[in-house]
Amino acid sequence: MTALTIDRINKRYGNLHILKDISIPIAKGEFVSLLGPSGCGKTTTLRCIAGFERPDDGSILFGNRDVTRTLPEQRDIGMVFQSYALFPHMTVAENLSFGLEVRKVSVPDRQKRIADVLAMVRLEGYDKRFPRELSGGQQQRVALARALVIEPSVLLLDEPLANLDATLRDEMRFFIRDLQQRVGITSIYVTHDQAEAMVMSDKIVVMSAGTISQFGSPREIYERPASQSVAGFIGRSNTISGKIAEALGQDSYKVDTPCGSIGTTGPAGLAKGAEVKIMIRPENIHTRKQCVGAGQKQEAGSGEAGKDENVLAGAVVNSVYQGSANQLAVKLASGDRVTVDVNGRNPLDVGEQVALRFAASDTWLLAS
Ligand SMILES: Nc1ncnc2c1ncn2[C@@H]1O[C@H](COP(=O)(O)OP(=O)(O)OP(=O)(O)O)[C@@H](O)[C@H]1O
Ligand SMILES: [Mg+2]
């Protein structure tokens, strides 16, 4: 069931066209992240959903109810702002009570709901403290509790972890995701941190300059990016330019490149002769040394390449130790450089010739 439908909304400030035909369907209980660089329109989209901004056209539906022209307080939302926006002169309990009083919840009911939600965010016993008497992470959890205590049908979060240090951020990511799943609340989360979006979301909306570049699961976005800009924004990637030589199946192609012919996977319908870029993630390229299993005598790279496998020759031009892995830069015969992750205990030296192997199924074609 669709809990929330954002249907072709546009927003302009004067001559500036800030949101351009944004459409997002969100299922009940889903956790959806809006991800994109600063200024791409994430907060504006969230404010339109909350009702603090009104789109110039298009509509917003909560279930079947059109809320495009209703006020924020009539929308049944809980919102966590980047700055937390706790009332500084009120205790934790008073901060939580505020929304319940506005909704005319009875005193005994209020007390029970505040106690329940404080337990949920692991802040039992903190009800009489003022925000200034709490750490950043605790304030953040009060902000979350304040949004949840009114039992909204939709939870909106605008970069709620931006002010926290790296360790606390990590902890809070899992905390929020776990809580969201336990309560089963439909949530929209704004972030410009791709790792955060990847670990927390059911779906990610990748935004760029007021438009949606891609909408899909973290896996779809990482493995099947819709464009070079999405591929570049989410994780590290290599690209090799080429032209479609032949379609081998619905989504598999042979591509001619300056390094030779490469078997690839790509979106259906690419025409012969089309210019493409072959994307390969660094962790999906295996070097010759990595291919040799323990006790295996045969030199990897010397055997026949598997049907699905490509082998390219190159030379190591740089090697950076990163603890868990070594990051190699390898120069191909075409002059292109690719980044390869190898096991940190078995690095290849600069200057060494290597065979790079990668599966066609681990590549993805991007329109050039
Ligand atoms: N009230 C306003 N008047 C004019 N322009 C605005 C207004 N609010 C936002 N903008 C512009 O709209 C664009 C999108 O802003 P928005 O706050 O949605 O970006 P964002 O993706 O949330 O960025 P960030 O990651 O920096 O928070 C920006 O270029 C911003 O300058
Ligand atoms: Mg913002």
Side-chain angles (χ1 to χ4, degrees), residues 284-292 299-303 305 309-316 328 330-333 338 340-342 348 351-358:
N284 289 331
I285 303 179
H286 307 283
T287 57
R288 188 172 60 181
K289 281 191 180 173
Q290 270 203 322
C291 287
V292 183
E299 197 190 9
S302 62
E309 198 172 53
N310 297 289
V311 182
L312 299 181
V316 178
L328 299 183
V330 176
K331 195 170 176 186
L332 303 177
V338 295
V340 184
D341 288 343
V342 296
L348 290 152
E352 213 165 335
Q353 296 292 317
V354 285
L356 303 181
R357 292 169 163 252
F358 54 93

PDB file of all heavy atoms in Angstrom, residues 284-292 299-303 305 309-316 328 330-333 338 340-342 348 351-358:
ATOM      1  N   ASN A 284      35.432  -5.355  -7.279  1.00  0.00           N
ATOM      2  CA  ASN A 284      35.042  -6.449  -8.178  1.00  0.00           C
ATOM      3  C   ASN A 284      36.120  -6.813  -9.185  1.00  0.00           C
ATOM      4  O   ASN A 284      35.916  -7.649 -10.054  1.00  0.00           O
ATOM      5  CB  ASN A 284      33.753  -6.083  -8.928  1.00  0.00           C
ATOM      6  CG  ASN A 284      32.562  -6.088  -7.993  1.00  0.00           C
ATOM      7  OD1 ASN A 284      32.567  -6.825  -7.008  1.00  0.00           O
ATOM      8  ND2 ASN A 284      31.568  -5.278  -8.276  1.00  0.00           N
ATOM      9  N   ILE A 285      37.277  -6.160  -9.071  1.00  0.00           N
ATOM     10  CA  ILE A 285      38.390  -6.501  -9.959  1.00  0.00           C
ATOM     11  C   ILE A 285      39.378  -7.348  -9.160  1.00  0.00           C
ATOM     12  O   ILE A 285      39.752  -6.996  -8.043  1.00  0.00           O
ATOM     13  CB  ILE A 285      39.095  -5.230 -10.482  1.00  0.00           C
ATOM     14  CG1 ILE A 285      38.079  -4.331 -11.194  1.00  0.00           C
ATOM     15  CG2 ILE A 285      40.243  -5.603 -11.416  1.00  0.00           C
ATOM     16  CD1 ILE A 285      38.672  -3.038 -11.717  1.00  0.00           C
ATOM     17  N   HIS A 286      39.742  -8.477  -9.725  1.00  0.00           N
ATOM     18  CA  HIS A 286      40.665  -9.372  -9.025  1.00  0.00           C
ATOM     19  C   HIS A 286      42.002  -9.353  -9.736  1.00  0.00           C
ATOM     20  O   HIS A 286      42.057  -9.436 -10.956  1.00  0.00           O
ATOM     21  CB  HIS A 286      40.084 -10.792  -8.980  1.00  0.00           C
ATOM     22  CG  HIS A 286      38.697 -10.788  -8.421  1.00  0.00           C
ATOM     23  ND1 HIS A 286      38.444 -10.657  -7.085  1.00  0.00           N
ATOM     24  CD2 HIS A 286      37.493 -10.816  -9.035  1.00  0.00           C
ATOM     25  CE1 HIS A 286      37.147 -10.627  -6.883  1.00  0.00           C
ATOM     26  NE2 HIS A 286      36.538 -10.720  -8.061  1.00  0.00           N
ATOM     27  N   THR A 287      43.062  -9.240  -8.962  1.00  0.00           N
ATOM     28  CA  THR A 287      44.390  -9.240  -9.568  1.00  0.00           C
ATOM     29  C   THR A 287      44.882 -10.677  -9.641  1.00  0.00           C
ATOM     30  O   THR A 287      44.328 -11.566  -8.993  1.00  0.00           O
ATOM     31  CB  THR A 287      45.368  -8.420  -8.711  1.00  0.00           C
ATOM     32  OG1 THR A 287      45.368  -8.984  -7.409  1.00  0.00           O
ATOM     33  CG2 THR A 287      44.959  -6.968  -8.656  1.00  0.00           C
ATOM     34  N   ARG A 288      45.935 -10.880 -10.397  1.00  0.00           N
ATOM     35  CA  ARG A 288      46.469 -12.223 -10.595  1.00  0.00           C
ATOM     36  C   ARG A 288      46.794 -12.893  -9.268  1.00  0.00           C
ATOM     37  O   ARG A 288      46.404 -14.010  -9.026  1.00  0.00           O
ATOM     38  CB  ARG A 288      47.715 -12.145 -11.470  1.00  0.00           C
ATOM     39  CG  ARG A 288      48.227 -13.484 -11.891  1.00  0.00           C
ATOM     40  CD  ARG A 288      49.330 -13.352 -12.886  1.00  0.00           C
ATOM     41  NE  ARG A 288      50.461 -12.609 -12.362  1.00  0.00           N
ATOM     42  CZ  ARG A 288      51.555 -12.334 -13.069  1.00  0.00           C
ATOM     43  NH1 ARG A 288      51.635 -12.713 -14.320  1.00  0.00           N
ATOM     44  NH2 ARG A 288      52.557 -11.681 -12.536  1.00  0.00           N
ATOM     45  N   LYS A 289      47.466 -12.168  -8.364  1.00  0.00           N
ATOM     46  CA  LYS A 289      47.875 -12.795  -7.106  1.00  0.00           C
ATOM     47  C   LYS A 289      46.670 -13.183  -6.262  1.00  0.00           C
ATOM     48  O   LYS A 289      46.680 -14.207  -5.613  1.00  0.00           O
ATOM     49  CB  LYS A 289      48.785 -11.857  -6.315  1.00  0.00           C
ATOM     50  CG  LYS A 289      50.191 -11.860  -6.837  1.00  0.00           C
ATOM     51  CD  LYS A 289      51.117 -11.150  -5.888  1.00  0.00           C
ATOM     52  CE  LYS A 289      52.523 -11.161  -6.451  1.00  0.00           C
ATOM     53  NZ  LYS A 289      53.435 -10.354  -5.651  1.00  0.00           N
ATOM     54  N   GLN A 290      45.648 -12.342  -6.315  1.00  0.00           N
ATOM     55  CA  GLN A 290      44.464 -12.644  -5.528  1.00  0.00           C
ATOM     56  C   GLN A 290      43.737 -13.883  -6.018  1.00  0.00           C
ATOM     57  O   GLN A 290      43.026 -14.503  -5.263  1.00  0.00           O
ATOM     58  CB  GLN A 290      43.495 -11.461  -5.577  1.00  0.00           C
ATOM     59  CG  GLN A 290      43.751 -10.471  -4.472  1.00  0.00           C
ATOM     60  CD  GLN A 290      42.522  -9.670  -4.182  1.00  0.00           C
ATOM     61  OE1 GLN A 290      41.809  -9.318  -5.100  1.00  0.00           O
ATOM     62  NE2 GLN A 290      42.281  -9.394  -2.929  1.00  0.00           N
ATOM     63  N   CYS A 291      43.917 -14.205  -7.303  1.00  0.00           N
ATOM     64  CA  CYS A 291      43.182 -15.340  -7.864  1.00  0.00           C
ATOM     65  C   CYS A 291      43.748 -16.666  -7.409  1.00  0.00           C
ATOM     66  O   CYS A 291      43.107 -17.699  -7.520  1.00  0.00           O
ATOM     67  CB  CYS A 291      43.223 -15.310  -9.392  1.00  0.00           C
ATOM     68  SG  CYS A 291      42.169 -14.029 -10.050  1.00  0.00           S
ATOM     69  N   VAL A 292      44.992 -16.692  -6.924  1.00  0.00           N
ATOM     70  CA  VAL A 292      45.616 -17.958  -6.539  1.00  0.00           C
ATOM     71  C   VAL A 292      45.119 -18.378  -5.169  1.00  0.00           C
ATOM     72  O   VAL A 292      45.335 -17.687  -4.185  1.00  0.00           O
ATOM     73  CB  VAL A 292      47.162 -17.817  -6.511  1.00  0.00           C
ATOM     74  CG1 VAL A 292      47.809 -19.154  -6.185  1.00  0.00           C
ATOM     75  CG2 VAL A 292      47.655 -17.295  -7.837  1.00  0.00           C
ATOM     76  N   GLU A 299      49.405 -20.971 -11.958  1.00  0.00           N
ATOM     77  CA  GLU A 299      49.463 -19.520 -11.864  1.00  0.00           C
ATOM     78  C   GLU A 299      48.172 -18.938 -12.414  1.00  0.00           C
ATOM     79  O   GLU A 299      47.817 -19.171 -13.563  1.00  0.00           O
ATOM     80  CB  GLU A 299      50.654 -19.000 -12.670  1.00  0.00           C
ATOM     81  CG  GLU A 299      51.003 -17.593 -12.286  1.00  0.00           C
ATOM     82  CD  GLU A 299      52.019 -16.985 -13.247  1.00  0.00           C
ATOM     83  OE1 GLU A 299      52.317 -17.595 -14.286  1.00  0.00           O
ATOM     84  OE2 GLU A 299      52.494 -15.908 -12.940  1.00  0.00           O
ATOM     85  N   ALA A 300      47.488 -18.206 -11.548  1.00  0.00           N
ATOM     86  CA  ALA A 300      46.236 -17.627 -12.001  1.00  0.00           C
ATOM     87  C   ALA A 300      46.519 -16.653 -13.116  1.00  0.00           C
ATOM     88  O   ALA A 300      47.551 -15.989 -13.129  1.00  0.00           O
ATOM     89  CB  ALA A 300      45.542 -16.936 -10.849  1.00  0.00           C
ATOM     90  N   GLY A 301      45.614 -16.540 -14.028  1.00  0.00           N
ATOM     91  CA  GLY A 301      45.840 -15.630 -15.146  1.00  0.00           C
ATOM     92  C   GLY A 301      46.384 -16.382 -16.343  1.00  0.00           C
ATOM     93  O   GLY A 301      46.265 -15.930 -17.470  1.00  0.00           O
ATOM     94  N   SER A 302      46.953 -17.568 -16.116  1.00  0.00           N
ATOM     95  CA  SER A 302      47.518 -18.314 -17.229  1.00  0.00           C
ATOM     96  C   SER A 302      46.471 -19.239 -17.856  1.00  0.00           C
ATOM     97  O   SER A 302      46.594 -19.643 -18.993  1.00  0.00           O
ATOM     98  CB  SER A 302      48.708 -19.148 -16.765  1.00  0.00           C
ATOM     99  OG  SER A 302      48.265 -20.082 -15.794  1.00  0.00           O
ATOM    100  N   GLY A 303      45.430 -19.549 -17.089  1.00  0.00           N
ATOM    101  CA  GLY A 303      44.399 -20.445 -17.619  1.00  0.00           C
ATOM    102  C   GLY A 303      43.441 -19.712 -18.533  1.00  0.00           C
ATOM    103  O   GLY A 303      43.537 -18.501 -18.703  1.00  0.00           O
ATOM    104  N   ALA A 305      40.285 -17.822 -19.571  1.00  0.00           N
ATOM    105  CA  ALA A 305      39.339 -16.993 -18.842  1.00  0.00           C
ATOM    106  C   ALA A 305      37.966 -17.636 -18.950  1.00  0.00           C
ATOM    107  O   ALA A 305      37.631 -18.206 -19.975  1.00  0.00           O
ATOM    108  CB  ALA A 305      39.302 -15.606 -19.453  1.00  0.00           C
ATOM    109  N   GLU A 309      34.086 -14.105 -17.856  1.00  0.00           N
ATOM    110  CA  GLU A 309      35.172 -13.322 -17.273  1.00  0.00           C
ATOM    111  C   GLU A 309      36.009 -12.577 -18.301  1.00  0.00           C
ATOM    112  O   GLU A 309      36.260 -13.063 -19.393  1.00  0.00           O
ATOM    113  CB  GLU A 309      36.071 -14.264 -16.472  1.00  0.00           C
ATOM    114  CG  GLU A 309      36.949 -13.529 -15.502  1.00  0.00           C
ATOM    115  CD  GLU A 309      37.689 -14.483 -14.596  1.00  0.00           C
ATOM    116  OE1 GLU A 309      38.358 -15.391 -15.118  1.00  0.00           O
ATOM    117  OE2 GLU A 309      37.607 -14.314 -13.374  1.00  0.00           O
ATOM    118  N   ASN A 310      36.424 -11.380 -17.917  1.00  0.00           N
ATOM    119  CA  ASN A 310      37.324 -10.591 -18.752  1.00  0.00           C
ATOM    120  C   ASN A 310      38.703 -10.554 -18.118  1.00  0.00           C
ATOM    121  O   ASN A 310      38.819 -10.555 -16.889  1.00  0.00           O
ATOM    122  CB  ASN A 310      36.810  -9.157 -18.847  1.00  0.00           C
ATOM    123  CG  ASN A 310      35.451  -9.092 -19.514  1.00  0.00           C
ATOM    124  OD1 ASN A 310      35.331  -9.305 -20.716  1.00  0.00           O
ATOM    125  ND2 ASN A 310      34.420  -8.825 -18.717  1.00  0.00           N
ATOM    126  N   VAL A 311      39.729 -10.501 -18.943  1.00  0.00           N
ATOM    127  CA  VAL A 311      41.095 -10.364 -18.424  1.00  0.00           C
ATOM    128  C   VAL A 311      41.768  -9.211 -19.161  1.00  0.00           C
ATOM    129  O   VAL A 311      41.775  -9.175 -20.388  1.00  0.00           O
ATOM    130  CB  VAL A 311      41.923 -11.658 -18.642  1.00  0.00           C
ATOM    131  CG1 VAL A 311      43.313 -11.499 -18.042  1.00  0.00           C
ATOM    132  CG2 VAL A 311      41.222 -12.858 -18.036  1.00  0.00           C
ATOM    133  N   LEU A 312      42.280  -8.252 -18.399  1.00  0.00           N
ATOM    134  CA  LEU A 312      43.000  -7.127 -18.997  1.00  0.00           C
ATOM    135  C   LEU A 312      44.398  -7.054 -18.406  1.00  0.00           C
ATOM    136  O   LEU A 312      44.583  -7.314 -17.218  1.00  0.00           O
ATOM    137  CB  LEU A 312      42.298  -5.791 -18.692  1.00  0.00           C
ATOM    138  CG  LEU A 312      40.872  -5.585 -19.185  1.00  0.00           C
ATOM    139  CD1 LEU A 312      40.392  -4.191 -18.789  1.00  0.00           C
ATOM    140  CD2 LEU A 312      40.791  -5.748 -20.697  1.00  0.00           C
ATOM    141  N   ALA A 313      45.357  -6.675 -19.235  1.00  0.00           N
ATOM    142  CA  ALA A 313      46.724  -6.533 -18.739  1.00  0.00           C
ATOM    143  C   ALA A 313      46.975  -5.085 -18.334  1.00  0.00           C
ATOM    144  O   ALA A 313      46.410  -4.160 -18.920  1.00  0.00           O
ATOM    145  CB  ALA A 313      47.703  -6.938 -19.833  1.00  0.00           C
ATOM    146  N   GLY A 314      47.801  -4.920 -17.315  1.00  0.00           N
ATOM    147  CA  GLY A 314      48.129  -3.562 -16.882  1.00  0.00           C
ATOM    148  C   GLY A 314      49.378  -3.557 -16.025  1.00  0.00           C
ATOM    149  O   GLY A 314      49.965  -4.606 -15.751  1.00  0.00           O
ATOM    150  N   ALA A 315      49.773  -2.360 -15.610  1.00  0.00           N
ATOM    151  CA  ALA A 315      50.943  -2.224 -14.738  1.00  0.00           C
ATOM    152  C   ALA A 315      50.546  -1.404 -13.517  1.00  0.00           C
ATOM    153  O   ALA A 315      49.835  -0.405 -13.631  1.00  0.00           O
ATOM    154  CB  ALA A 315      52.070  -1.532 -15.500  1.00  0.00           C
ATOM    155  N   VAL A 316      51.040  -1.856 -12.350  1.00  0.00           N
ATOM    156  CA  VAL A 316      50.730  -1.137 -11.113  1.00  0.00           C
ATOM    157  C   VAL A 316      51.509   0.179 -11.101  1.00  0.00           C
ATOM    158  O   VAL A 316      52.727   0.180 -11.268  1.00  0.00           O
ATOM    159  CB  VAL A 316      51.133  -1.982  -9.874  1.00  0.00           C
ATOM    160  CG1 VAL A 316      50.853  -1.221  -8.583  1.00  0.00           C
ATOM    161  CG2 VAL A 316      50.387  -3.321  -9.881  1.00  0.00           C
ATOM    162  N   LEU A 328      45.184  -0.160  -5.233  1.00  0.00           N
ATOM    163  CA  LEU A 328      46.158  -0.071  -6.322  1.00  0.00           C
ATOM    164  C   LEU A 328      45.622   0.795  -7.439  1.00  0.00           C
ATOM    165  O   LEU A 328      44.421   0.761  -7.730  1.00  0.00           O
ATOM    166  CB  LEU A 328      46.415  -1.455  -6.933  1.00  0.00           C
ATOM    167  CG  LEU A 328      46.974  -2.579  -6.085  1.00  0.00           C
ATOM    168  CD1 LEU A 328      47.182  -3.799  -6.982  1.00  0.00           C
ATOM    169  CD2 LEU A 328      48.290  -2.158  -5.447  1.00  0.00           C
ATOM    170  N   VAL A 330      46.133   0.943 -11.398  1.00  0.00           N
ATOM    171  CA  VAL A 330      46.705   0.123 -12.467  1.00  0.00           C
ATOM    172  C   VAL A 330      46.472   0.826 -13.796  1.00  0.00           C
ATOM    173  O   VAL A 330      45.354   1.263 -14.098  1.00  0.00           O
ATOM    174  CB  VAL A 330      46.062  -1.287 -12.484  1.00  0.00           C
ATOM    175  CG1 VAL A 330      46.585  -2.099 -13.662  1.00  0.00           C
ATOM    176  CG2 VAL A 330      46.318  -2.012 -11.173  1.00  0.00           C
ATOM    177  N   LYS A 331      47.570   0.951 -14.560  1.00  0.00           N
ATOM    178  CA  LYS A 331      47.455   1.587 -15.872  1.00  0.00           C
ATOM    179  C   LYS A 331      47.252   0.502 -16.926  1.00  0.00           C
ATOM    180  O   LYS A 331      48.016  -0.459 -16.999  1.00  0.00           O
ATOM    181  CB  LYS A 331      48.736   2.372 -16.166  1.00  0.00           C
ATOM    182  CG  LYS A 331      48.590   3.338 -17.295  1.00  0.00           C
ATOM    183  CD  LYS A 331      49.820   4.241 -17.361  1.00  0.00           C
ATOM    184  CE  LYS A 331      49.737   5.163 -18.551  1.00  0.00           C
ATOM    185  NZ  LYS A 331      50.969   5.940 -18.701  1.00  0.00           N
ATOM    186  N   LEU A 332      46.194   0.678 -17.715  1.00  0.00           N
ATOM    187  CA  LEU A 332      45.889  -0.305 -18.757  1.00  0.00           C
ATOM    188  C   LEU A 332      46.628   0.052 -20.045  1.00  0.00           C
ATOM    189  O   LEU A 332      47.149   1.173 -20.178  1.00  0.00           O
ATOM    190  CB  LEU A 332      44.376  -0.323 -19.036  1.00  0.00           C
ATOM    191  CG  LEU A 332      43.475  -0.607 -17.835  1.00  0.00           C
ATOM    192  CD1 LEU A 332      42.011  -0.510 -18.235  1.00  0.00           C
ATOM    193  CD2 LEU A 332      43.783  -1.994 -17.267  1.00  0.00           C
ATOM    194  N   ALA A 333      46.606  -0.877 -20.991  1.00  0.00           N
ATOM    195  CA  ALA A 333      47.276  -0.646 -22.275  1.00  0.00           C
ATOM    196  C   ALA A 333      46.706   0.592 -22.975  1.00  0.00           C
ATOM    197  O   ALA A 333      47.417   1.311 -23.678  1.00  0.00           O
ATOM    198  CB  ALA A 333      47.094  -1.875 -23.163  1.00  0.00           C
ATOM    199  N   VAL A 338      42.812   2.365 -13.645  1.00  0.00           N
ATOM    200  CA  VAL A 338      41.710   1.829 -12.837  1.00  0.00           C
ATOM    201  C   VAL A 338      42.185   1.616 -11.405  1.00  0.00           C
ATOM    202  O   VAL A 338      43.365   1.377 -11.148  1.00  0.00           O
ATOM    203  CB  VAL A 338      41.128   0.502 -13.404  1.00  0.00           C
ATOM    204  CG1 VAL A 338      40.474   0.705 -14.741  1.00  0.00           C
ATOM    205  CG2 VAL A 338      42.188  -0.573 -13.485  1.00  0.00           C
ATOM    206  N   VAL A 340      41.921  -0.603  -7.989  1.00  0.00           N
ATOM    207  CA  VAL A 340      41.630  -1.983  -7.623  1.00  0.00           C
ATOM    208  C   VAL A 340      41.876  -2.158  -6.127  1.00  0.00           C
ATOM    209  O   VAL A 340      42.894  -1.688  -5.618  1.00  0.00           O
ATOM    210  CB  VAL A 340      42.553  -2.968  -8.389  1.00  0.00           C
ATOM    211  CG1 VAL A 340      42.194  -4.410  -8.088  1.00  0.00           C
ATOM    212  CG2 VAL A 340      42.531  -2.709  -9.877  1.00  0.00           C
ATOM    213  N   ASP A 341      40.962  -2.821  -5.424  1.00  0.00           N
ATOM    214  CA  ASP A 341      41.194  -3.128  -4.009  1.00  0.00           C
ATOM    215  C   ASP A 341      41.781  -4.530  -3.900  1.00  0.00           C
ATOM    216  O   ASP A 341      41.225  -5.471  -4.448  1.00  0.00           O
ATOM    217  CB  ASP A 341      39.859  -3.115  -3.230  1.00  0.00           C
ATOM    218  CG  ASP A 341      39.337  -1.699  -3.053  1.00  0.00           C
ATOM    219  OD1 ASP A 341      40.118  -0.748  -3.232  1.00  0.00           O
ATOM    220  OD2 ASP A 341      38.146  -1.552  -2.735  1.00  0.00           O
ATOM    221  N   VAL A 342      42.914  -4.652  -3.208  1.00  0.00           N
ATOM    222  CA  VAL A 342      43.467  -5.987  -2.962  1.00  0.00           C
ATOM    223  C   VAL A 342      43.709  -6.169  -1.469  1.00  0.00           C
ATOM    224  O   VAL A 342      43.845  -5.203  -0.729  1.00  0.00           O
ATOM    225  CB  VAL A 342      44.792  -6.245  -3.731  1.00  0.00           C
ATOM    226  CG1 VAL A 342      44.570  -6.220  -5.228  1.00  0.00           C
ATOM    227  CG2 VAL A 342      45.872  -5.267  -3.325  1.00  0.00           C
ATOM    228  N   LEU A 348      50.645  -5.873  -4.320  1.00  0.00           N
ATOM    229  CA  LEU A 348      51.522  -5.954  -5.485  1.00  0.00           C
ATOM    230  C   LEU A 348      52.386  -4.706  -5.494  1.00  0.00           C
ATOM    231  O   LEU A 348      51.969  -3.653  -5.039  1.00  0.00           O
ATOM    232  CB  LEU A 348      50.663  -6.012  -6.755  1.00  0.00           C
ATOM    233  CG  LEU A 348      49.905  -7.326  -6.921  1.00  0.00           C
ATOM    234  CD1 LEU A 348      48.632  -7.117  -7.712  1.00  0.00           C
ATOM    235  CD2 LEU A 348      50.802  -8.352  -7.607  1.00  0.00           C
ATOM    236  N   GLY A 351      55.117  -1.009 -10.448  1.00  0.00           N
ATOM    237  CA  GLY A 351      55.945  -1.448 -11.583  1.00  0.00           C
ATOM    238  C   GLY A 351      55.611  -2.858 -12.028  1.00  0.00           C
ATOM    239  O   GLY A 351      55.923  -3.256 -13.148  1.00  0.00           O
ATOM    240  N   GLU A 352      54.962  -3.618 -11.159  1.00  0.00           N
ATOM    241  CA  GLU A 352      54.647  -5.011 -11.484  1.00  0.00           C
ATOM    242  C   GLU A 352      53.545  -5.108 -12.547  1.00  0.00           C
ATOM    243  O   GLU A 352      52.596  -4.320 -12.531  1.00  0.00           O
ATOM    244  CB  GLU A 352      54.179  -5.711 -10.209  1.00  0.00           C
ATOM    245  CG  GLU A 352      54.561  -7.169 -10.169  1.00  0.00           C
ATOM    246  CD  GLU A 352      54.419  -7.738  -8.760  1.00  0.00           C
ATOM    247  OE1 GLU A 352      54.495  -6.968  -7.778  1.00  0.00           O
ATOM    248  OE2 GLU A 352      54.222  -8.933  -8.672  1.00  0.00           O
ATOM    249  N   GLN A 353      53.689  -6.080 -13.428  1.00  0.00           N
ATOM    250  CA  GLN A 353      52.653  -6.334 -14.440  1.00  0.00           C
ATOM    251  C   GLN A 353      51.576  -7.204 -13.810  1.00  0.00           C
ATOM    252  O   GLN A 353      51.884  -8.156 -13.107  1.00  0.00           O
ATOM    253  CB  GLN A 353      53.257  -7.079 -15.648  1.00  0.00           C
ATOM    254  CG  GLN A 353      54.317  -6.299 -16.410  1.00  0.00           C
ATOM    255  CD  GLN A 353      53.751  -5.087 -17.132  1.00  0.00           C
ATOM    256  OE1 GLN A 353      52.689  -5.168 -17.737  1.00  0.00           O
ATOM    257  NE2 GLN A 353      54.449  -3.964 -17.047  1.00  0.00           N
ATOM    258  N   VAL A 354      50.349  -6.860 -14.057  1.00  0.00           N
ATOM    259  CA  VAL A 354      49.256  -7.658 -13.480  1.00  0.00           C
ATOM    260  C   VAL A 354      48.196  -7.976 -14.520  1.00  0.00           C
ATOM    261  O   VAL A 354      48.030  -7.247 -15.503  1.00  0.00           O
ATOM    262  CB  VAL A 354      48.550  -6.929 -12.304  1.00  0.00           C
ATOM    263  CG1 VAL A 354      49.394  -6.945 -11.060  1.00  0.00           C
ATOM    264  CG2 VAL A 354      48.137  -5.535 -12.679  1.00  0.00           C
ATOM    265  N   ALA A 355      47.529  -9.083 -14.266  1.00  0.00           N
ATOM    266  CA  ALA A 355      46.341  -9.412 -15.055  1.00  0.00           C
ATOM    267  C   ALA A 355      45.139  -9.061 -14.183  1.00  0.00           C
ATOM    268  O   ALA A 355      45.073  -9.473 -13.032  1.00  0.00           O
ATOM    269  CB  ALA A 355      46.331 -10.897 -15.394  1.00  0.00           C
ATOM    270  N   LEU A 356      44.253  -8.257 -14.723  1.00  0.00           N
ATOM    271  CA  LEU A 356      43.038  -7.899 -13.987  1.00  0.00           C
ATOM    272  C   LEU A 356      41.881  -8.727 -14.523  1.00  0.00           C
ATOM    273  O   LEU A 356      41.690  -8.812 -15.727  1.00  0.00           O
ATOM    274  CB  LEU A 356      42.720  -6.407 -14.185  1.00  0.00           C
ATOM    275  CG  LEU A 356      43.808  -5.422 -13.796  1.00  0.00           C
ATOM    276  CD1 LEU A 356      43.313  -3.997 -14.028  1.00  0.00           C
ATOM    277  CD2 LEU A 356      44.212  -5.612 -12.338  1.00  0.00           C
ATOM    278  N   ARG A 357      41.172  -9.350 -13.612  1.00  0.00           N
ATOM    279  CA  ARG A 357      40.033 -10.171 -14.020  1.00  0.00           C
ATOM    280  C   ARG A 357      38.767  -9.591 -13.418  1.00  0.00           C
ATOM    281  O   ARG A 357      38.766  -9.210 -12.254  1.00  0.00           O
ATOM    282  CB  ARG A 357      40.201 -11.592 -13.488  1.00  0.00           C
ATOM    283  CG  ARG A 357      41.321 -12.342 -14.124  1.00  0.00           C
ATOM    284  CD  ARG A 357      41.569 -13.623 -13.345  1.00  0.00           C
ATOM    285  NE  ARG A 357      42.336 -14.510 -14.170  1.00  0.00           N
ATOM    286  CZ  ARG A 357      41.842 -15.604 -14.735  1.00  0.00           C
ATOM    287  NH1 ARG A 357      40.590 -15.963 -14.534  1.00  0.00           N
ATOM    288  NH2 ARG A 357      42.606 -16.349 -15.492  1.00  0.00           N
ATOM    289  N   PHE A 358      37.719  -9.567 -14.204  1.00  0.00           N
ATOM    290  CA  PHE A 358      36.425  -9.164 -13.659  1.00  0.00           C
ATOM    291  C   PHE A 358      35.314  -9.807 -14.477  1.00  0.00           C
ATOM    292  O   PHE A 358      35.461 -10.044 -15.682  1.00  0.00           O
ATOM    293  CB  PHE A 358      36.270  -7.642 -13.608  1.00  0.00           C
ATOM    294  CG  PHE A 358      36.511  -6.954 -14.916  1.00  0.00           C
ATOM    295  CD1 PHE A 358      35.451  -6.683 -15.769  1.00  0.00           C
ATOM    296  CD2 PHE A 358      37.795  -6.571 -15.291  1.00  0.00           C
ATOM    297  CE1 PHE A 358      35.664  -6.048 -16.984  1.00  0.00           C
ATOM    298  CE2 PHE A 358      38.011  -5.938 -16.503  1.00  0.00           C
ATOM    299  CZ  PHE A 358      36.957  -5.676 -17.361  1.00  0.00           C
TER     300      PHE A 358
END
